[in-house]
Amino acid sequence: FLLFYRRLVGKSDEGVSVLMRYTLRLLTAQQFERATTLFCAMEFIRRQQSQLLGQQRFNIGLWVGLAASPNKRDEAVKQLGRMMEDPDSAENPFILRRCPWCAAKFGSFRTEKAGNYVLGYVSEEGTVKFRCPDSECDFGVGDDDPLAPRINDPLPVSVIDEDLIDRPPNLLVATVDKFAILAWKPEIRSFFGINSQGERVGDPPSLIIQDELHLISGPLGTIVGAYETVVDELCSQ
């Protein structure tokens, strides 16, 4: 609702407008999959109403630990290569196991006729993007019409830390522990509309959703509270 409102009243929503935070990585991944379907619907509507909602795509990003998703682009590309070479045992770090719009399967597969192949994840521009393998999908790889674009826009999803920092998504789904990185990685300031010179160039997040709040009532909450005042300051103008 907030993102549609900002578009309709003409406010810029470049960068993160909504932070959604969880305390457990498992809960984060599950909710991210559901939220991704919502963002596909939002992007589908934006395409049909671009005169009202603008040309800029809606995007969602997942920001969790290295064990769940890649931190660096080159590591993501390498992991994609390993999935192609060894579909049976290579780890899949790309979170989404199916298309959030049409439910086509994503992942690495091995067949006798086609050999090894990977669906849903494509190495492009030095990173890995999500593209539905179904040509009938609204976020698919295109169709057979020679006048149509060869490839549609990729799914509006990012899970690689470097991609998130360079192009912050509208909704950032994260675990609370990731914000401790603010003390060591100043480039994270881009999530709050601040550039590399420390100047505010965009609006900070307008909404923070803290789910599973009861889980930070113990020791975890004590640690989170130590840097929560910094997050609050960065979200203020």
Side-chain angles (χ1 to χ4, degrees), residues 166-217:
D166 285 351
R167 299 193 67 181
N170 300 117
L171 168 62
L172 182 66
V173 181
T175 47
V176 291
D177 58 293
K178 288 291 283 189
F179 288 90
I181 297 177
L182 283 165
W184 289 275
K185 285 185 174 289
E187 58 267 31
I188 302 299
R189 70 182 78 180
S190 67
F191 292 158
F192 301 92
I194 301 172
N195 66 13
S196 58
Q197 285 74 45
E199 302 167 339
R200 185 171 294 285
V201 293
D203 290 336
S206 303
L207 174 65
I208 296 179
I209 301 171
Q210 179 62 61
D211 205 353
E212 302 294 336
L213 188 63
H214 66 283
L215 294 176
I216 60 173
S217 61

Side-chain angles (χ1 to χ4, degrees), residues 13 63 89 99 102 115 133 164 176:
D13 63 356
W63 193 40
S89 59
C99 175
C102 74
L164 295 171
V176 291

Side-chain angles (χ1 to χ4, degrees), residues 38 101 150 227:
L38 172 64
W101 192 237
R150 177 65 187 88
Y227 53 86

Side-chain angles (χ1 to χ4, degrees), residues 28 45 48 55 76 81 83 87 102 104 123 133 148 150 155-156 177 188 191 203 228-229 237:
T28 309
I45 293 171
Q48 297 177 321
Q55 300 298 324
M83 290 173 62
C102 74
S123 177
R150 177 65 187 88
L155 285 157
D177 58 293
I188 302 299
F191 292 158
D203 290 336
E228 186 62 17
T229 52
Q237 293 206 70

